[in-house]
Amino acid sequence: MSNHTRKTVKIYSETYKHLEQLSKETGKPILHIVSTIVNTFIANDFVKDLDLEAKTKPINYRELLTNSLQEQKKELANMMKERTNTVIGFIKTLDKKVENTRRDIIFKVDPDDDTISHPLEFHYDFVIKNLILLLQSCQLNQDAFVEKLSTLISRDEYEFFIRSYNAVMSKRIN
């Protein structure tokens, strides 16, 4: 910045107050601040968009930051819920597999062990025997019943029924 001749420029008193404040905060004279503003306008082609009547709206950085942080908080909460549900599902599946394996091991080590029999085992036998008699009295055999059942209930329920039926008939828990 050269120190040639200085000329007087008329500005609004409110603008001059802002220039004084900037001068105090930066420790630079008002002349340097005005020069920096003009050079910035020229360097960034703001001259084309210069509208002297337009009022600039101040940017509320605190509000922008708060909104950004709240959005990030929501995204993190949703991500944590999703990951937590994934972990819970994994643990449930793992528990089922471990329990089935444990039961298989106990049965294979000692098939006569009473600790693996269900307390209602004899009741199940009784119910199954009576259901088979009921089916036979209605002129239905077991195969027709199982085939009809597959059309009435969902696939998962049907598979669970078959596994459960086979486990009860073989006196195995799994």
Side-chain angles (χ1 to χ4, degrees), residues 19-159:
L19 283 172
E20 279 183 325
Q21 183 181 358
L22 284 171
S23 176
K24 285 179 187 176
E25 288 178 8
T26 61
K28 303 280 183 187
I30 292 176
L31 175 66
H32 287 265
I33 294 172
V34 170
S35 294
T36 303
I37 292 171
V38 170
N39 290 336
T40 304
F41 262 75
I42 291 170
N44 293 305
D45 291 330
F46 289 148
V47 177
K48 296 175 189 173
D49 300 328
L50 188 61
D51 183 5
L52 297 177
E53 301 299 321
K55 297 265 183 182
T56 58
K57 184 177 179 183
I59 298 173
N60 188 345
Y61 290 105
R62 178 171 283 166
E63 183 179 322
L64 289 174
L65 182 62
T66 303
N67 290 342
S68 176
L69 288 174
Q70 287 175 349
E71 288 174 11
Q72 288 178 1
K73 184 179 175 183
K74 286 179 185 176
E75 287 177 19
L76 281 173
N78 289 339
M79 186 177 68
M80 290 302 292
K81 280 182 191 174
E82 183 180 315
R83 297 283 170 99
T84 302
N85 288 338
T86 302
V87 169
I88 289 171
F90 174 75
I91 290 171
K92 284 183 177 180
T93 303
L94 191 63
D95 280 349
K96 285 180 186 176
K97 291 188 181 287
V98 167
E99 182 61 23
N100 286 343
T101 304
R102 183 188 73 81
R103 289 178 179 169
D104 274 343
I105 291 170
I106 290 173
F107 182 78
K108 288 177 181 173
V109 169
D110 187 6
D112 297 325
D113 188 0
D114 288 338
T115 60
I116 63 167
S117 64
H118 194 281
L120 297 175
E121 180 179 316
F122 298 112
H123 176 71
Y124 290 155
D125 288 341
F126 176 76
V127 170
I128 290 171
K129 185 175 118 186
N130 286 325
L131 285 175
I132 290 172
L133 287 173
L134 181 64
L135 288 172
Q136 288 172 349
S137 70
C138 294
Q139 307 299 324
L140 288 173
N141 63 11
Q142 286 177 277
D143 295 332
F145 168 74
V146 170
E147 186 177 316
K148 181 68 176 169
L149 189 62
S150 68
T151 62
L152 295 175
I153 59 177
S154 72
R155 181 176 172 221
D156 289 340
E157 290 174 321
Y158 174 74
E159 288 174 359

